[in-house]
Amino acid sequence: MEHNREVEIDGSSNPIQISRLALDIGGSLIKLVYFSRNSGDDEDPPKYKVGVSNGVNGRLHFAKFETAKINDCLQFISANKLLLGGGFQHQENCTNDRSFIKATGGGAYKFSELFKEKLGISLEKEDEMDCLVTGANFLLKVPFLGRGYCMWYSYVTVEMHIYILEKKEAVNQEAFTYLNGSKEFVQIDHNDLYPYLLVNIGSGVSMIKVDGDGKFERVSGTSVGGGTFWGLGKLLTKCQSFDELLELSHRGDNRAIDTLVGDIYGGMDYSKIGLLSTTIASSFGKATSHNKDLEDYKPEDISRSLLRMISNNIGQISYLNALRFGLKRIIFGGFFIRSHSYTMDTIAVAVHFCSCVDLHILIMNTFQPVWSKGEAKAMFLRHEGFLGALGAFMSYEMHSLDDLVVNQMMPLPVNASLGADTNYDPLKGDLNGTESIQCCVYRA
Amino acid sequence: MEHNREVEIDGSSNPIQISRLALDIGGSLIKLVYFSRNSGDDEDPPKYKVGVSNGVNGRLHFAKFETAKINDCLQFISANKLLLGGGFQHQENCTNDRSFIKATGGGAYKFSELFKEKLGISLEKEDEMDCLVTGANFLLKVPFLGRGYCMWYSYVTVEMHIYILEKKEAVNQEAFTYLNGSKEFVQIDHNDLYPYLLVNIGSGVSMIKVDGDGKFERVSGTSVGGGTFWGLGKLLTKCQSFDELLELSHRGDNRAIDTLVGDIYGGMDYSKIGLLSTTIASSFGKATSHNKDLEDYKPEDISRSLLRMISNNIGQISYLNALRFGLKRIIFGGFFIRSHSYTMDTIAVAVHFCSCVDLHILIMNTFQPVWSKGEAKAMFLRHEGFLGALGAFMSYEMHSLDDLVVNQMMPLPVNASLGADTNYDPLKGDLNGTESIQCCVYRA
């Protein structure tokens, strides 16, 4: 069925074509990625590429839902008819007509039946670690002429066709460092990208050594993650959401809850071992006080202590793993961080502090530390929480550029991330992690 | 003033002579060590040692108090006149008559004035890390003929006199492994003792690489320690003491609170990366549930989850540091553990699990792990919480064996650890960590 409905977007009247939905269904959150084509705005092949077909311009859109409210997500997909372009038929060997969408995360298994029942669709499961790495590599790459790309292979014909998805940002504004309140985007040369440590902080934490495209190993992890912060925070405060708990921490003072070195050492540093009086000796150490109960502590102080404890712990374990494998970059993903200043600062400082301790040990002693190549650097990502969904998105086979075109032309989904505000400056505005990415797909 | 009072001990009528008090005043607990001499029971010099004077037989006694209740400790010291032998006069260069006792930990600084005010005594401060290591080395050594020893140096004369404190156990029943409910004492050959990783879990955690007597470096630590368990536990349950919280955990089920891999993956393992369905994916992950508040969870389940989370975390960070320096032994001290089965099991399993993951990575991949010497082993100590106090005790200068003799003969202090029950079998009985140690001091 073909419709041709004019819809508004960014003040233009170009109709929207939507296709390609991919999901990452985690323990706490469901992440969606889908592609919208800018109709009537096809791209001439880039001058630097020979023999390349016309490209299709469009945007990658992002949205998220709580896994506990999965029906909202199903509703969203259904109401916005995101499956019309995104539900693919298996070709050739397919024994049934059922449509499928790519999905990763544990929920791809857990909710398989639910999707069949409610939307009549199969979830084609992609490995979670694989998707995280693919998504991260896509976001991080800054190849020739500063465009991110990835490659899709088509096996329809005997030949392999390469389809390239390119980001159309002049500069890669994805990865950034954050220290002492200062945010700085980082352009990582493609030849210098590997290896790195990818630390994905979801409900729990996975730490993955990435050696190349599709080359990685999950080397570590910890169960003390976003779910711990939110779970303990919910028990200890009256907060009704993760964001509320995070917001509360802005106003808190952890010194009311944590025991500092100075509290034990009568106000002094323990300088012989490099601990300042302000260093936290024991998280929640003051909460052991006989005279006080939960009600006697401020929820904002509790939230701040929790956030500090968990962020610091993740930073430390990440550092120890980077050290183990001689990795100089630690890239943090997942929705724990949410570009929250205190979180990023704590993680970056934890990594930095551990590096300095090691340097101190190196200087003060005769034994060689296992790794002495210098500091590990902590980096964060704008689209931190969508690595898995992006990776799942990348795993679709492309048969032709028409795969990106749908016959239906729909308004942009309600509550989805909107097309970029052309006045938006990522260096100034809040990085809420759901900004769409302008891109182009062409066949090489 | 000389008294000669007959007192009972262990059914004998040998009077007790007490001397040498040392303290470790930490963030949560004050630990005491003192020596009691068995009067009339001097030792012939061991046959294997030539030119050695008669030894003095006695016992090392241990006691602890909450730092928040320091007055109880002062009362104990005062009422039992523990200073009569333990308060030493500075010799020669001393400009005043004030007595002093050896003390370590932050409280040696923080409560310095209080001791002066209440007991008229100075605290001679000894470095905390130094004392921990000295105490641990003393407990761990099994030298020739199976006796623990340490050496005191006397500088009174031009020559250096060596005083040896020997433990008089036939077998060193101090260090033990614990896995799957099975406890096994370990005899570590003196030549094989170093290097090892000492992990002292107090309010916070210190991790010390020990290379020899007096040779060590604090290489790491974490603020997530005993104070965190007790602080968070106190906020989340109605428990009034650390021991009560620990006792509660016996009956708990962490699966009501923690999100397991199977909860996310629909009951399945994530076998590709070696995670079982029963592996904890997110500690306290289930406490994010919208429908439930703190009151809806059982305190025993909360306690168990907390204990699991903190023990596991300590085990993991300890392992990563052992790995870093190629250390095959990790020795756990401090009063967090208290020979609690679930705690020791969790820590030992965490260390073991990490080792297995590394072995898996080693086998499955071409890259070399930084350390491939085999599994790190977790070990525990009977007198786990008294390392610092023992080390402070060892730091006294000895001028003669008379330093161990007092003119006063006193009954054993009330509430102090009693002389060993000769029927006590450490392999069967509870290891409550305060059993006195039979020993002998002689001048070599």
Side-chain angles (χ1 to χ4, degrees):
Chain A
M1 271 170 25
E2 292 195 27
H3 302 270
N4 210 325
R5 219 186 299 167
E6 288 210 15
V7 290
E8 288 209 27
I9 174 173
D10 296 332
S12 81
S13 59
N14 284 338
I16 307 302
Q17 294 170 326
I18 294 162
S19 71
R20 290 256 133 155
L21 171 69
L23 299 170
D24 173 4
I25 311 176
S28 306
L29 296 171
I30 305 172
K31 286 75 72 178
L32 271 82
V33 168
Y34 59 93
F35 180 83
S36 73
R37 179 180 177 176
N38 299 347
S39 155
D41 181 22
D42 284 350
E43 173 103 337
D44 286 333
K47 289 181 174 47
Y48 61 90
K49 285 188 162 44
V50 178
V52 168
S53 70
N54 281 3
V56 170
N57 276 327
R59 305 198 80 89
L60 283 168
H61 299 269
F62 305 90
K64 73 183 194 292
F65 298 86
E66 285 185 42
T67 306
K69 299 180 181 174
I70 191 166
N71 286 316
D72 287 3
C73 175
L74 295 168
Q75 178 92 347
F76 177 83
I77 293 171
S78 172
N80 292 294
K81 298 186 173 63
L82 287 179
L83 289 173
L84 286 174
F88 286 88
Q89 303 291 327
H90 284 281
Q91 300 265 344
E92 299 178 353
N93 295 332
C94 182
T95 53
N96 61 45
D97 278 345
R98 183 160 293 166
S99 291
F100 72 92
I101 54 175
K102 292 284 191 177
T104 190
Y109 297 84
K110 185 172 179 180
F111 299 110
S112 204
E113 286 305 312
L114 187 69
F115 272 78
K116 267 190 205 145
E117 182 195 317
K118 301 275 185 175
L119 298 178
I121 200 158
S122 293
L123 296 181
E124 188 156 288
K125 301 157 184 63
E126 296 294 330
D127 176 68
E128 188 181 334
M129 299 298 116
D130 206 297
C131 290
L132 287 174
V133 171
T134 301
N137 284 347
F138 170 71
L139 290 171
L140 289 168
K141 278 185 191 162
V142 185
F144 188 56
L145 286 191
R147 287 175 170 183
Y149 73 96
C150 73
M151 296 189 288
W152 277 312
Y153 294 93
S154 166
Y155 298 97
V156 175
T157 64
V158 174
E159 294 162 11
M160 209 152 67
H161 296 284
I162 296 172
Y163 291 88
I164 298 183
L165 172 72
E166 283 200 336
K167 290 190 287 182
K168 289 188 71 176
E169 296 166 326
V171 159
N172 194 354
Q173 288 168 332
E174 185 63 45
F176 59 96
T177 54
Y178 191 92
L179 207 57
N180 298 327
S182 176
K183 200 177 296 178
E184 212 174 282
F185 283 111
V186 176
Q187 309 302 314
I188 306 172
D189 187 82
H190 175 59
N191 297 320
D192 192 39
L193 177 58
Y194 306 114
Y196 67 89
L197 188 72
L198 176 62
V199 177
N200 196 63
I201 315 172
S203 308
V205 186
S206 283
M207 300 187 186
I208 308 168
K209 179 181 184 288
V210 184
D211 290 294
D213 271 322
K215 271 192 71 183
F216 62 89
E217 179 81 34
R218 185 188 186 274
V219 294
S220 192
T222 171
S223 67
V224 185
T228 314
F229 174 64
W230 178 212
L232 275 171
K234 190 173 186 299
L235 293 179
L236 291 165
T237 71
K238 302 262 183 287
C239 288
Q240 293 303 307
S241 74
F242 185 100
D243 284 314
E244 191 186 334
L245 185 65
L246 212 57
E247 179 59 37
L248 199 61
S249 73
H250 278 295
R251 307 194 288 281
D253 183 352
N254 71 296
R255 295 170 301 179
I257 306 276
D258 298 333
T259 302
L260 309 184
V261 167
D263 294 320
I264 303 176
Y265 272 79
M268 296 166 44
D269 300 337
Y270 189 167
S271 45
K272 192 176 177 190
I273 57 174
L275 300 183
L276 300 175
S277 63
T278 51
T279 302
I280 300 173
S282 176
S283 294
F284 283 83
K286 288 202 175 95
T288 60
S289 167
H290 285 282
N291 307 324
K292 293 168 99 167
D293 288 325
L294 178 57
E295 308 74 53
D296 301 313
Y297 296 96
K298 294 184 192 167
E300 56 264 35
D301 294 344
I302 289 176
S303 174
R304 195 148 173 109
S305 290
L306 255 185
L307 187 59
R308 180 73 175 260
M309 177 179 92
I310 292 170
S311 303
N312 203 62
N313 197 58
I314 291 171
Q316 180 180 21
I317 296 175
S318 302
Y319 170 78
L320 287 169
N321 278 286
L323 185 67
R324 226 170 118 185
F325 298 106
L327 306 173
K328 59 180 180 180
R329 266 191 216 105
I330 308 172
I331 314 244
F332 292 92
F335 268 121
F336 171 68
I337 296 172
R338 306 193 184 197
S339 291
H340 189 77
S341 308
Y342 190 63
T343 310
M344 293 193 291
D345 218 47
T346 303
I347 289 175
V349 165
V351 169
H352 181 74
F353 174 78
C354 288
S355 304
C356 289
V357 167
D358 274 355
L359 200 60
H360 168 85
I361 292 173
L362 173 61
I363 290 168
M364 301 301 293
N365 291 275
T366 55
F367 66 80
Q368 282 297 314
V370 166
W371 176 67
S372 55
K373 289 182 190 162
E375 275 188 30
K377 233 187 189 85
M379 291 180 191
F380 307 95
L381 298 169
R382 266 176 66 201
H383 293 87
E384 57 192 2
F386 292 104
L387 308 187
L390 266 169
F393 179 84
M394 303 297 183
S395 72
Y396 277 109
E397 262 184 42
M398 283 271 283
H399 306 291
S400 76
L401 281 177
D402 290 340
D403 283 346
L404 289 172
V405 179
V406 293
N407 291 325
Q408 297 281 0
M409 281 175 285
M410 315 300 305
L412 262 186
V414 175
N415 295 333
S417 58
L418 301 176
D421 171 358
T422 48
N423 292 325
Y424 175 76
D425 178 357
L427 284 168
K428 292 185 190 150
D430 279 338
L431 305 178
N432 68 16
T434 59
E435 297 85 20
S436 61
I437 297 177
Q438 202 168 340
C439 48
C440 177
V441 183
Y442 56 89
R443 198 181 97 178
Chain B
M1 272 172 24
E2 290 194 30
H3 300 270
N4 209 324
R5 219 186 298 167
E6 287 209 15
V7 291
E8 290 207 29
I9 174 173
D10 295 333
S12 81
S13 58
N14 285 340
I16 308 303
Q17 294 170 326
I18 294 164
S19 70
R20 291 248 136 163
L21 171 69
L23 299 170
D24 174 3
I25 311 175
S28 307
L29 296 171
I30 306 172
K31 285 76 71 178
L32 270 84
V33 168
Y34 59 94
F35 179 83
S36 72
R37 178 179 177 176
N38 299 347
S39 153
D41 182 22
D42 285 348
E43 174 103 335
D44 287 333
K47 287 182 176 46
Y48 60 90
K49 287 186 158 49
V50 178
V52 169
S53 70
N54 281 2
V56 170
N57 276 326
R59 305 199 79 90
L60 283 168
H61 299 268
F62 305 90
K64 71 183 196 292
F65 298 86
E66 286 186 42
T67 306
K69 297 180 181 175
I70 191 167
N71 286 316
D72 288 2
C73 175
L74 294 169
Q75 178 90 346
F76 176 83
I77 293 172
S78 172
N80 292 294
K81 298 185 174 62
L82 287 178
L83 289 173
L84 286 173
F88 287 88
Q89 304 291 328
H90 283 282
Q91 300 265 342
E92 299 177 355
N93 295 331
C94 184
T95 54
N96 63 45
D97 277 345
R98 184 160 293 167
S99 292
F100 71 92
I101 55 174
K102 292 283 191 178
T104 190
Y109 297 85
K110 185 172 179 178
F111 299 109
S112 204
E113 285 306 312
L114 186 69
F115 272 78
K116 265 188 209 151
E117 182 197 319
K118 300 276 185 174
L119 299 176
I121 199 157
S122 293
L123 296 182
E124 187 156 289
K125 301 159 185 61
E126 295 294 326
D127 176 69
E128 187 180 335
M129 300 297 116
D130 205 298
C131 289
L132 286 174
V133 171
T134 300
N137 284 348
F138 170 71
L139 290 171
L140 288 167
K141 278 185 192 164
V142 186
F144 188 55
L145 285 192
R147 288 176 170 180
Y149 73 96
C150 72
M151 297 187 290
W152 277 311
Y153 296 93
S154 165
Y155 298 97
V156 174
T157 63
V158 174
E159 294 162 9
M160 207 153 67
H161 295 284
I162 296 172
Y163 290 87
I164 297 182
L165 172 72
E166 283 198 337
K167 290 190 289 183
K168 288 187 73 177
E169 296 167 327
V171 159
N172 193 353
Q173 288 168 331
E174 185 63 44
F176 59 97
T177 55
Y178 191 93
L179 207 57
N180 298 327
S182 176
K183 199 178 296 176
E184 213 174 281
F185 283 111
V186 177
Q187 308 302 314
I188 306 171
D189 187 83
H190 176 60
N191 296 320
D192 192 38
L193 178 58
Y194 307 113
Y196 67 89
L197 187 72
L198 176 61
V199 177
N200 195 63
I201 315 172
S203 307
V205 187
S206 282
M207 299 186 186
I208 308 167
K209 179 180 185 286
V210 184
D211 290 293
D213 271 323
K215 271 191 74 181
F216 63 88
E217 179 82 34
R218 184 187 186 274
V219 295
S220 191
T222 171
S223 66
V224 185
T228 314
F229 175 64
W230 177 212
L232 275 172
K234 190 171 184 301
L235 294 178
L236 291 166
T237 70
K238 302 261 183 288
C239 288
Q240 293 303 309
S241 74
F242 185 99
D243 284 313
E244 192 187 332
L245 185 65
L246 210 57
E247 179 60 36
L248 199 62
S249 73
H250 277 294
R251 308 194 288 282
D253 183 352
N254 72 295
R255 294 170 301 178
I257 307 276
D258 298 332
T259 301
L260 310 184
V261 166
D263 293 320
I264 303 176
Y265 272 79
M268 296 165 46
D269 299 337
Y270 189 167
S271 44
K272 192 174 176 191
I273 57 174
L275 301 183
L276 300 175
S277 63
T278 50
T279 303
I280 300 173
S282 176
S283 295
F284 284 83
K286 287 200 174 98
T288 61
S289 167
H290 286 283
N291 308 324
K292 293 168 99 168
D293 288 325
L294 178 57
E295 309 74 55
D296 301 312
Y297 296 96
K298 294 183 191 169
E300 56 265 35
D301 295 343
I302 288 175
S303 174
R304 196 151 174 107
S305 290
L306 255 184
L307 187 59
R308 180 73 174 258
M309 177 180 91
I310 291 169
S311 303
N312 203 62
N313 197 59
I314 290 170
Q316 180 180 20
I317 296 175
S318 302
Y319 170 79
L320 287 169
N321 278 286
L323 185 67
R324 227 169 117 185
F325 298 105
L327 305 174
K328 60 180 180 180
R329 267 191 217 105
I330 308 173
I331 314 241
F332 291 92
F335 268 119
F336 171 68
I337 296 171
R338 307 193 183 197
S339 291
H340 190 78
S341 308
Y342 189 64
T343 310
M344 294 192 292
D345 218 48
T346 302
I347 289 176
V349 166
V351 169
H352 182 72
F353 175 78
C354 288
S355 303
C356 289
V357 167
D358 273 355
L359 200 59
H360 169 85
I361 293 174
L362 172 59
I363 291 168
M364 300 302 291
N365 291 276
T366 54
F367 67 80
Q368 282 298 314
V370 166
W371 177 65
S372 55
K373 289 183 189 161
E375 273 187 33
K377 234 188 188 86
M379 292 180 191
F380 307 94
L381 298 169
R382 267 176 66 202
H383 293 87
E384 57 191 4
F386 291 104
L387 308 186
L390 266 169
F393 180 84
M394 304 296 185
S395 71
Y396 277 109
E397 261 185 41
M398 283 271 283
H399 306 291
S400 76
L401 282 177
D402 290 340
D403 283 346
L404 290 171
V405 179
V406 293
N407 289 328
Q408 297 280 359
M409 282 175 284
M410 317 298 306
L412 263 185
V414 175
N415 295 333
S417 58
L418 302 175
D421 169 0
T422 49
N423 292 324
Y424 176 75
D425 179 357
L427 283 168
K428 293 185 186 148
D430 280 336
L431 306 178
N432 67 15
T434 59
E435 297 85 22
S436 60
I437 297 177
Q438 201 167 339
C439 48
C440 176
V441 184
Y442 57 89
R443 199 181 97 180

